[in-house]
Structure formats: structure tokens, C-alpha cells
């Protein structure tokens, strides 16, 4: 079966080939490759223009929804504001109408100033900073050539990015590991700076020049990271850590967030200051000219670069790895490690056909994280939910929720899903032979491969099925559902298990994976996983479906769930599962290929906007929102919804613009988070005293739960327009300002209504107080007198109309 066309979506654009620091662990200047000596110090305007054209040409040919460009060096700030502006403007010009642009710069921070930050605000450039921890740790390597410390200057840069004026620019911190440094001191120093995310990088090494291993320890780097991972977990995961998040994602079968882990094909190319195309900079560790391709922006296209043997070798996944790696039990997480770290000359010249020089460390790290994951409860165990404080009440109450907090909400929902699954078995499926066999398989898999069962139970539409099976809304589906879930688990496990599944109305359902259409009179099908795919045997026919059968039309009747893989977020476009009809609006039929492409492009642009302009929401969305279900919009209207029964999913009709999709995502995900909190804790008297309450955005009175849900969702709506008025210009900025003034007024009024309801529990009062703090923090932000007056008039008119209607109702 043909592979889909390869493409590149990540580009490192070298702005300057020298650096103002002399870090002795630098892979550019301190390792085997010295090609930097013969390159121009500063990239020319001509090369910037041609690079932008090449990137746009490639993006257009491959219909890329988004491209990612990092301005790099050396030290890119040495190129100066004018040349950085030229780079950004050329990229935006070339990509206009072609692809969304995620533009970043990575710097050592010593030159960062307000002048640069104002430029980056204007041009939408996010900033990542290298910092190795506290002063003692940082000074071990990151010094000026004369030995002076750079630590104080970098701290000033981080403080500048952490302030409210430039916080939206801050992309995170990058720390290179030195096992001589105290891991706790490094971790505490970085976390104290409150970065939006951070990462720890293994130092570059090869089998020829292996990394230091004091006292001959076999896994000192895993041990060092393990200390930090334990502390990070104990602290409630206060900051997303890319290496830890990547291990957990790959253990769940999702994509990695870094090229040093996982099996995803390489999709990055470097453009040097002389216009030459190179492979990843890390290859400079291996040997002289190791990253070179012999191609440049003037005479070669990026499709030609893709044909280079070095890049092709990194597109083949597990097949490209050394034989010991292919047989390794953690290969899907490790992925063989960073390509450069596999290099060895040796007598046979084995090149990169080796495990990573950090092989033992990677194995230990992955196993430690896997084994430290909370043990999945037995399906028959008693439910014991975490306290609201454990779930991060104060963070959630303010309208936010980072990856750790939302991850714990997801864990509580996973527990709930497991108990519902057990209840279905206990109450309705014990006497069903196929259901009993399915249950036995689920128990077996839960013992040996609990992550496989977790993935199935975490499917948002398991709970709607289970509740319908338990309350009689869908009689007779208990056994069928258990068999469907067991089949989906068996496919994920790939052990070769055979599962017989009842088929209803010609549809074989594999929750979270897709559906298979079979003849209408088919009563059951046998599903089994193999090495290259899975088989479905039914009605005298056998369908063979490859694991890479991701596109419609490859196997007749197979409709896989489409995954949209974005940087830091993998989300499913769920248009297959019959149980997805769990929102207040009708679901869309199966999307055509072109419709799915438009959804993917809009999701990419919306996610880029969220990460760029709403970074406080992005980690929570990435951790908790796994499914977007396309809805049907009656009359072409924009509709969206979240279901209390479907944690991790939102439904939406695709709106007119990606900006509105970003708004919709953060808005509806507020409902998802609050619903998960309310599943475990009472924030208000369920009866609310039988009273109805004023909601500033509705013409009808609302019960207390409706008011609470609406207010919480509108925190994100207000924040969206608050940021958009600063990120746009002209009429768009004025329209956003008017929206901000309006929603700030309405949300503040709703918080006051909740606080004065007299129906909140003590925890509810605490929660609403947190919401009030967020609204109060916006009160001092200036808006134009016209926008303020219009918001006040609209609020007064709405209140007057509501009072008049209330007098009629009474």
C-alpha cells in the first residue's frame, strides 16, 4: 500500500551564525562539525525572501494547514531588529492565503529587551529561552568567552517575558542536562520562573564520544530525570514538561512532542545563513558536514530535499531502526532516541544503524514513568474520588486549568468510566455469552496492558452508551457494547486476540477507532489484530485493513476516525460513532475528504491562535480535549455544544473562520471542565430552592446550574476578546474591544448573581469567588469610552427588558 506523500512542516531559519556566549556543550560550535566557520555571519535579505518562497511553495503543493518556523542561530538576536523584521514579513507575505504561520525565536536571552519584545508582539513571534537552572548550574556551561556569568542577564529576559505585557510571547524554557548539577535545584529554579512549559534535553553525544557516566552508573541521566519527575508529580505538575509529556503520550499511542522520542517521521529542515538546506543541527555532533544535503534555496525545492537519503532514512519509522530497537518493548515510546545519538564509526562503519548511546537511560526513564502511572482500579472496586482540592480547585475556579489539573480531571473521569463499564457487565451482560467472553478479555488486558483498556474507556462516548444501557434508553445493547469495546482494545493491543462482535443494522462499531459497514443482514463479525493490520470476518467475507489505512477508499466500508495531529495536541474528528449523537444539535454525516481537510486546516490555525494568544488555556485543552464531533447546523447557523456525559469531547458545526473556532474550543471546553468537577462535588444546592436566576446573555430565567455553566464558559469568551483586541488592528481590534467590554460587563453581573444566590455550598462559594477574582483582574483594563458606554447601555437595556418580562411571568 502506498504511503502518503512526505512533507516538511518545521523549518529552522538561521539568522546569525555566531553567538555572544561560549557554552562548552554547544552542538554548533563545540562538536565535530565546523562548517559554521565558512558561513556568513548574518543571513541576507535575498536568502530570507527565497527561503520564504521555498517554504510557501512546499506548503502550497502539500496543502499544509500550518508551518512552523523557528528563527535560530548561533544567537538570532545578534541579527538585529531590522533583519528579524524582514524574516517575519517575508514569511507572512509568502504564506498569506497558503498556510497559517507559527513563528518562534529561540535565544540565550542575554540581549532580549523591550525593543525586541515590542517587535515580537507586532509580528506574532513567540520566544523560547535556554536556561540550565540556578546560577551554579547555568554557569557550569553557559558563560561568556571571558568566563563571565550570563545568568543575571537571562533572568532579566525571563522576567520581561513573564510580566503581563509580554507574557503572551513566552514559549518556555529549555534546559540541557548536566548530571553533575543538583536536579532538585535545577527544577526549583526553573519552576520558580513560572514558564508556560519547559523541557530537559540530553547532552549531545555519540558512541564515538559517549556522555559522561560518573562512577560507571548505567543510567545516570534517567536517574537524574527520575528525581525531577517524582518532584514534578508531587507538586501536581505545575508546568508542562515536554519530555515527560511525550513519554506519556507515546505510551498512550499518541504522537511525541519532540523528535528525540517516538516513531513519527522527521519533518524538519534547517536553512543556514548561506541559504543551504541542512538536516537537524544535532547531527553536527556526529562528524564534519554530517547535516549537509548539498542543496540550497536557490537551486533546489524542498521536495528535492525530501529525497536526500538522510531525510528518507528518518521517514521509515520502526523499519529504519537497528535490529535491537525493533525488538524492544518500549520502541514506540523511545523511537530509537535522537538520530544523532545513534552514530558510531567503528571498524565496520555502522553509521546510524545503532541504538541510542542513551539507550539504557531511555529504557529506564520510560519504564519508570509507565510504572509510576496511577494503577487502574479494578472494574468492581468501590469508587473513591479525589477531593476538589486535589483537582486544583483554585486554578479551575479562575477559569483556567493546566495540563496537570486537567489531567487529574481526566483521571477521575476514567475511574467513572471504568465503574460504569463494570456496572453494565454486572447488571445486563453476565448471561450474554459473547459479552462474558469480552469481559474476560478486558480483565486479561487490564492486567497485562492497562493502558490499552484506559484508551478505550477514555473514549468520550463510552459514558453515553453505558448510561443508555443502564437506564433502559437503549435496551439490549449492553452485551454488544462490551464486545465492541473489547474488540477496540484487542486491536490496540495487537496480540492476535479474536473477538466476536454483534453487528446491528450493518454497522460494526470499534469505539475510538472507526466503523465498518457490512451487509444489512449480518448478525456478528469476528475481529482480530495482526502484524500489519486487522481482519474482519463476517457473512462469508474477510476484510483486511492495514494499520495505515487512514484514508477513505483504501478499504471499502472502513471508516476510520480521523486524527488531526498538531504540535502538542492530537484531536480526533469523530464522525463515525453512533453514540456521538449526545449533544443538543444533530451530528453531521461522515465528512467527505475535502470537508475533513478543511476541518484539519481550521483546527491547525485555531490551535496556533490558542497557543499564541491564550497560552493559559492551551495546556488544559491539549490534556483534556481529545475529540471534536462535527455537528449539523440548521439553516447554516453556527452551533456548538458540550455534553455532560461526554468528557473530552465538544461538538461543533465548522464556523466561518479559524478565529471563531478557537473561541468555540475554549468556550465549550469550559463546560467540559466544569462538568467533570460537578461529577464529583456539589457546588450548589441541587434544587436551588426552586428559584430561577437572571443571566445577562439570556432572555429567559435560568436554573442555578445553567447560570453557573454559562458564567464559567463566558470567562473564556471574555478572555478571548480581551486578547484579540490587543492582537489585531483597525476595525477588527475595535470590534474585539466592543466584545470585550460587553462580555466583561455581563460576566461580572453573572458572578454577582451567583454570589448572591444563597444556594452555593461552601465549595461553591470558593469556586465562584475564584471566578470573581478573574473578572476583577480585568476591571482596570482600559477600553474606549464608546465601547464602555455601549456595553453599559446594552446591559441596562437587557436588564430592563428582563425585569419587564419577569413582572409578566409573576
Amino acid at each position: 500500500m502506498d504511503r502518503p506523500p512526505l512533507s516538511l512542516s518545521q523549518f529552522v531559519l538561521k539568522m546569525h551564525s555566531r553567538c555572544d556566549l561560549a557554552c562548552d556543550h554547544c552542538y554548533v560550535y563545540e562538536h565535530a562539525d565546523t562548517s559554521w566557520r565558512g558561513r556568513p555571519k548574518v543571513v541576507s535579505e535575498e536568502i530570507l525572501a527565497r527561503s520564504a518562497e521555498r517554504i510557501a511553495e512546499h506548503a502550497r503543493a502539500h496543502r499544509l494547514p500550518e508551518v512552523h518556523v523557528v528563527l535560530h542561530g548561533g544567537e538570532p538576536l545578534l541579527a538585529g531588529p531590522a533583519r528579524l523584521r524582514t524574516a517575519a514579513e517575508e514569511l507572512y507575505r509568502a504564506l498569506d492565503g497558503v498556510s497559517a504561520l507559527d513563528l518562534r525565536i529561540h535565544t540565550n536571552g542575554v540581549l532580549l529587551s523591550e525593543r525586541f519584545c515590542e517587535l515580537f508582539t507586532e509580528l506574532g513571534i513567540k520566544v523560547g529561552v535556554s536556561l540550565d537552572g540556578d546560577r551554579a548550574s547555568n554557569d557550569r556551561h553557559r558563560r561568556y568567552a571571558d568566563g563571565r556569568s550570563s545568568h543575571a542577564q537571562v533572568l532579566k529576559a525571563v522576567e520581561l517575558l513573564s510580566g503581563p505585557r509580554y507574557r503572551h510571547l513566552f514559549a518556555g524554557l529549555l534546559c540541557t542536562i548536566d548530571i553533575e548539577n543538583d536536579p532538585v535545584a535545577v527544577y526549583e529554579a526553573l519552576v520558580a520562573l513560572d514558564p508556560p512549559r519547559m523541557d530537559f534535553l540530553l547532552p549531545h553525544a555519540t558512541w564515538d564520544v559517549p556522555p559522561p557516566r560518573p562512577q560507571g552508573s548505567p543510567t545516570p541521566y534517567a536517574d537524574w530525570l527520575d528525581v525531577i519527575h517524582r518532584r514534578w508529580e508531587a507538586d501536581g505538575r505545575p508546568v508542562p514538561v515536554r519530555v515527560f509529556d511525550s513519554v506519556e503520550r507515546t505510551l498512550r499511542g499518541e504522537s511525541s512532542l519532540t523528535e528525540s522520542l517516538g516513531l513519527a517521521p522527521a519533518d524538519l529542515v534547517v536553512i543556514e545563513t548561506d541559504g543551504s538546506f541542512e538536516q537537524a543541527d544535532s547531527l553536527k555532533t556526529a562528524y564534519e558536514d554530517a547535516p549537509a544535503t548539498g542543496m540550497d534555496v536557490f537551486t533546489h525545492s524542498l521536495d528535492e530535499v525530501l529525497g536526500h537519503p538522510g531525510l528518507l532514512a528518518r521517514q521509515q519509522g520502526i523499519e529504519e531502526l537497528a535490529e535491537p530497537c525493533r525488538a524492544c518493548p518500549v520502541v514506540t515510546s523511545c523511537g530509537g532516541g535522537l538520530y544523532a545519538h545513534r552514530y558510531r564509526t567503528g571498524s565496520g562503519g555502522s553509521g546510524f544503524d545503532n541504538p541510542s548511546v542513551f539507550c539504557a537511560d531511555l529504557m529506564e526513564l520510560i519504564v519508570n514513568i509507565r510504572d509510576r502511572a496511577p494503577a487502574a482500579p479494578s472494574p468492581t472496586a468501590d469508587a473513591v474520588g479525589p477531593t476538589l482540592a486535589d483537582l486544583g480547585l483554585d486554578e479551575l475556579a479562575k477559569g483556567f486549568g493546566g495540563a496537570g489539573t486537567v489531567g487529574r480531571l481526566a483521571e477521575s473521569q476514567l475511574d467513572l468510566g471504568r465503574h460504569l463499564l463494570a456496572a453494565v457487565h454486572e447488571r445486563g451482560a453476565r448471561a450474554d455469552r459473547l459479552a462474558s467472553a469480552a469481559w474476560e478479555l478486558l480483565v486479561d488486558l487490564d492486567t497485562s496492558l492497562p493502558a490499552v483498556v484506559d484508551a478505550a474507556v477514555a473514549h468520550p462516548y463510552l459514558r453515553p452508551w453505558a448510561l443508555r444501557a443502564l437506564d433502559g434508553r437503549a435496551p439490549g445493547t449492553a452485551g454488544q457494547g462490551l464486545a465492541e469495546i473489547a474488540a477496540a482494545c484487542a486491536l490496540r493491543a495487537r496480540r492476535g486476540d479474536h473477538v466476536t462482535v454483534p453487528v446491528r443494522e450493518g454497522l460494526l462499531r470499534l469505539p475510538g477507532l472507526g466503523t465498518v459497514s457490512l451487509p444489512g443482514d449480518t448478525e456478528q463479525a469476528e475481529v482480530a489484530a495482526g502484524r500489519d493490520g486487522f481482519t474482519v470476518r463476517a457473512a462469508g467475507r474477510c476484510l483486511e485493513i492495514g494499520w495505515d489505512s487512514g484514508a477513505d477508499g483504501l478499504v471499502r466500508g472502513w471508516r476510520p476516525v480521523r486524527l488531526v495531529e498538531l504540535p502538542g495536541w492530537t484531536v480526533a474528528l469523530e464522525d463515525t460513532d453512533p453514540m456521538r449523537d449526545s449533544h443538543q444539535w444533530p451530528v453531521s454525516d461522515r465528512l467527505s475528504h475535502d470537508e475533513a481537510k478543511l476541518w484539519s486546516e481550521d483546527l491547525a490555525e485555531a490551535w496556533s491562535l490558542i497557543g499564541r494568544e491564550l497560552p493559559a488555556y492551551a495546556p488544559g485543552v491539549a490534556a483534556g480535549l481529545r475529540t471534536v464531533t462535527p455537528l449539523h447546523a440548521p439553516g447554516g447557523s453556527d452551533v456548538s455544544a458540550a455534553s455532560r456525559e461526554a468528557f473530552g469531547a465538544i461538538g461543533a458545526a465548522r464556523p466561518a473562520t479559524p478565529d471563531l473556532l478557537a473561541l468555540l474550543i475554549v468556550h465549550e471546553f469550559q463546560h467540559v471542565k466544569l462538568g467533570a468537577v460537578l461529577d464529583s462535588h456539589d457546588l450548589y444546592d441541587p434544587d436551588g430552592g426552586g428559584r430561577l436566576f437572571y443571566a445577562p446573555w439570556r432572555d429567559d430565567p435560568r436554573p442555578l446550574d445553567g447560570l453557573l455553566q454559562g458564567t464559567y464558559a463566558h470567562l473564556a469568551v471574555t478572555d478571548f476578546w480581551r486578547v484579540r483586541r490587543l492582537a489585531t488592528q483597525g476595525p477588527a481590534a475595535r470590534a474585539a474591544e466592543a466584545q470585550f467590554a460587553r462580555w466583561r460587563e455581563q460576566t461580572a453581573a453573572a458572578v454577582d448573581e451567583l454570589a448572591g444566590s444563597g444556594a452555593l455550598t461552601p465549595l461553591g462559594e470558593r469556586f465562584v469567588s475564584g471566578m470573581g477574582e478573574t473578572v476583577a483582574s480585568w476591571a482596570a483594563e482600559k477600553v474606549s469610552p464608546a465601547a464602555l458606554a455601549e456595553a453599559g447601555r446594552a446591559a441596562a437595556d437587557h436588564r430592563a427588558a428582563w425585569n419587564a418580562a419577569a413582572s409578566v411571568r409573576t
Side-chain angles (χ1 to χ4, degrees):
M1 189 172 293
D2 293 336
R3 292 181 178 271
L6 304 178
S7 63
L8 297 161
S9 63
Q10 300 189 65
F11 305 90
V12 173
L13 185 54
K14 295 298 188 76
M15 299 300 301
H16 202 284
S17 66
R18 304 296 190 270
C19 189
D20 43 3
L21 295 183
C23 308
D24 59 15
H25 58 10
C26 179
Y27 54 80
V28 176
Y29 306 111
E30 301 295 335
H31 283 273
D33 183 81
T34 59
S35 58
W36 60 272
R37 298 180 185 276
R39 290 201 166 97
K41 288 185 178 181
V42 185
V43 65
S44 70
E45 293 186 0
E46 182 184 16
I47 288 173
L48 289 175
R50 191 61 179 146
S51 299
E53 290 167 2
R54 286 297 190 191
I55 293 170
E57 172 187 68
H58 188 74
R60 185 181 295 106
H62 292 271
R63 300 183 66 188
L64 299 180
E66 183 175 39
V67 296
H68 310 271
V69 179
V70 179
L71 307 179
H72 216 288
E75 171 48 51
L77 296 184
L78 288 172
R83 194 56 48 91
L84 292 173
R85 174 183 289 280
T86 298
E89 290 178 344
E90 290 290 349
L91 287 163
Y92 280 118
R93 176 192 57 77
L95 288 163
D96 185 31
V98 178
S99 300
L101 173 63
D102 174 29
L103 185 56
R104 299 174 180 239
I105 190 167
H106 195 84
T107 173
N108 60 35
V110 298
L111 293 177
L112 192 68
S113 63
E114 288 195 15
R115 182 186 179 190
F116 278 118
C117 287
E118 287 296 318
L119 177 69
F120 299 155
T121 296
E122 177 188 348
L123 299 173
I125 303 175
K126 301 199 76 171
V127 185
V129 178
S130 294
L131 180 65
D132 287 350
D134 58 295
R135 175 163 181 161
S137 300
N138 196 70
D139 285 355
R140 192 182 293 275
H141 301 287
R142 295 188 181 279
R143 291 178 174 270
Y144 290 95
D146 61 6
R148 287 180 296 127
S149 169
S150 66
H151 190 254
Q153 286 88 339
V154 182
L155 286 190
K156 288 180 181 178
V158 175
E159 289 169 4
L160 190 63
L161 291 171
S162 297
R165 187 172 180 180
Y166 302 121
R167 178 72 182 185
H168 64 287
L169 299 176
F170 197 6
L173 298 175
L174 201 62
C175 170
T176 300
I177 297 168
D178 185 329
I179 54 176
E180 296 294 337
N181 290 330
D182 178 354
V184 173
V186 169
Y187 166 82
E188 289 180 343
L190 297 179
V191 170
L193 297 173
D194 191 28
R197 59 194 57 83
M198 60 190 192
D199 195 17
F200 298 97
L201 301 183
L202 292 168
H204 287 311
T206 67
W207 287 100
D208 293 350
V209 185
R213 297 188 181 277
Q215 291 81 47
S217 170
T219 58
Y221 296 89
D223 298 341
W224 194 91
L225 283 168
D226 191 59
V227 172
I228 291 180
H229 186 262
R230 289 175 182 272
R231 175 62 182 275
W232 180 66
E233 289 276 15
D235 288 350
R237 302 184 173 198
V239 178
V241 178
R242 186 170 65 172
V243 62
F244 300 152
D245 290 340
S246 291
V247 170
E248 292 182 349
R249 286 171 61 88
T250 54
L251 287 170
R252 294 194 300 263
E254 299 175 17
S255 61
S256 172
L257 305 176
T258 170
E259 67 169 330
S260 62
L261 292 167
L263 291 169
D267 66 347
L268 177 145
V269 72
V270 177
I271 303 174
E272 283 286 355
T273 56
D274 61 358
S276 59
F277 288 121
E278 290 205 338
Q279 300 176 72
D281 268 350
S282 55
L283 286 170
K284 295 179 185 294
T285 306
Y287 55 88
E288 184 74 26
D289 288 329
T293 66
M295 304 182 205
D296 62 69
V297 297
F298 295 105
T299 53
H300 300 90
S301 70
L302 282 162
D303 277 357
E304 290 178 282
V305 177
L306 273 171
H308 185 272
L311 278 164
L312 285 176
R314 299 169 66 198
Q315 297 281 344
Q316 304 306 314
I318 195 170
E319 299 303 322
E320 177 269 336
L321 299 182
E323 184 176 352
C325 293
R326 295 198 297 270
C328 178
V330 300
V331 63
T332 55
S333 288
C334 171
L338 192 68
Y339 191 70
H341 295 172
R342 307 173 200 171
Y343 185 73
R344 184 201 305 261
T345 53
S347 58
S350 57
F352 297 96
D353 188 23
N354 306 287
S356 168
V357 72
F358 292 100
C359 177
D361 293 283
L362 292 171
M363 168 75 87
E364 184 74 9
L365 173 67
I366 292 165
V367 169
N368 285 343
I369 292 176
R370 182 195 68 191
D371 293 349
R372 192 169 296 131
S378 165
T380 57
D382 293 333
V384 179
T387 67
L388 194 56
D390 292 337
L391 292 175
L393 169 66
D394 295 325
E395 184 183 7
L396 289 165
K398 291 177 181 178
F400 309 113
T405 297
V406 175
R408 286 188 290 278
L409 286 179
E411 289 168 7
S412 70
Q413 291 291 301
L414 187 64
D415 289 348
L416 179 58
R418 283 175 163 270
H419 291 294
L420 285 171
L421 197 62
V424 171
H425 172 248
E426 288 290 329
R427 296 187 195 177
R430 278 183 173 273
D432 185 321
R433 179 179 57 83
L434 293 181
S436 295
W439 181 256
E440 290 177 7
L441 177 59
L442 285 170
V443 172
D444 177 44
L445 288 170
D446 199 31
T447 301
S448 58
L449 295 168
V452 163
V453 179
D454 283 349
V457 175
H459 180 48
Y461 298 113
L462 177 139
R463 182 174 172 185
W465 156 76
L467 292 175
R468 293 176 198 181
L470 289 169
D471 66 14
R473 283 180 290 165
T477 63
Q480 179 190 14
L482 283 174
E484 291 168 342
I485 293 164
C489 289
L491 296 188
R492 287 185 171 94
R494 303 189 186 187
R495 300 190 313 184
D497 298 287
H498 291 245
V499 184
T500 301
V501 185
V503 176
R504 301 291 176 91
E505 298 179 354
L507 195 70
L508 171 64
R509 173 178 174 252
L510 299 169
L513 301 178
T515 59
V516 181
S517 296
L518 298 168
D521 58 353
T522 305
E523 294 184 356
Q524 60 186 36
E526 184 184 79
V527 179
R531 178 171 173 270
D532 299 319
F534 66 98
T535 59
V536 177
R537 298 180 186 274
R541 61 191 291 225
C542 177
L543 294 178
E544 295 185 358
I545 302 171
W547 295 123
D548 57 353
S549 300
D552 291 332
L554 293 177
V555 176
R556 186 175 181 182
W558 168 232
R559 291 184 166 185
V561 174
R562 298 178 175 103
L563 293 179
V564 181
E565 301 219 21
L566 304 171
W569 186 36
T570 299
V571 63
L573 267 178
E574 177 58 88
D575 57 1
T576 67
D577 196 326
M579 295 296 112
R580 74 189 187 280
D581 192 8
S582 301
H583 304 281
Q584 71 230 52
W585 299 101
V587 296
S588 171
D589 293 333
R590 174 69 167 178
L591 300 176
S592 69
H593 175 79
D594 288 342
E595 289 171 331
K597 181 70 173 175
L598 290 173
W599 264 105
S600 297
E601 292 169 353
D602 283 1
L603 281 167
E605 291 191 44
W607 178 240
S608 178
L609 184 149
I610 292 170
R612 184 173 64 250
E613 298 181 12
L614 298 164
Y617 297 86
V621 170
L625 183 57
R626 301 302 174 84
T627 298
V628 172
T629 297
L631 300 180
H632 173 66
S637 59
D638 291 334
V639 299
S640 63
S643 170
R644 176 74 174 274
E645 296 179 358
F647 177 84
I650 64 170
R654 189 171 66 87
T657 67
D659 292 1
L660 291 179
L661 181 57
L663 170 59
L664 178 157
I665 288 169
V666 295
H667 170 198
E668 296 297 348
F669 192 61
Q670 295 291 93
H671 290 298
V672 172
K673 291 186 295 185
L674 182 56
V677 171
L678 293 172
D679 277 338
S680 301
H681 299 277
D682 292 328
L683 300 186
Y684 56 87
D685 177 353
D687 295 328
R691 294 167 53 205
L692 297 175
F693 298 87
Y694 171 67
W697 49 85
R698 296 281 297 244
D699 294 331
D700 57 326
R702 303 293 292 156
L704 191 68
D705 63 332
L707 178 62
L708 178 61
Q709 284 278 0
T711 308
Y712 193 66
H714 287 129
L715 287 176
V717 173
T718 309
D719 211 1
F720 174 88
W721 293 115
R722 181 182 72 88
V723 175
R724 290 301 285 164
R725 85 189 200 280
L726 302 174
T728 53
Q729 296 178 341
R734 290 191 292 274
E737 181 183 53
Q739 290 280 13
F740 169 56
R742 170 196 170 198
W743 286 110
R744 181 177 65 177
E745 178 85 17
Q746 293 185 353
T747 308
V751 168
D752 289 343
E753 185 83 355
L754 285 168
S757 69
L760 299 174
T761 65
L763 281 175
E765 291 176 354
R766 177 178 165 191
F767 196 91
V768 170
S769 175
M771 295 165 63
E773 289 178 20
T774 297
V775 175
S777 71
W778 298 329
E781 296 195 21
K782 293 182 178 179
V783 296
S784 69
L788 195 62
E790 178 59 29
R793 281 194 301 270
D797 291 346
H798 186 271
R799 173 66 85 169
W802 193 91
N803 287 337
S807 65
V808 172
R809 286 192 296 269
T810 57

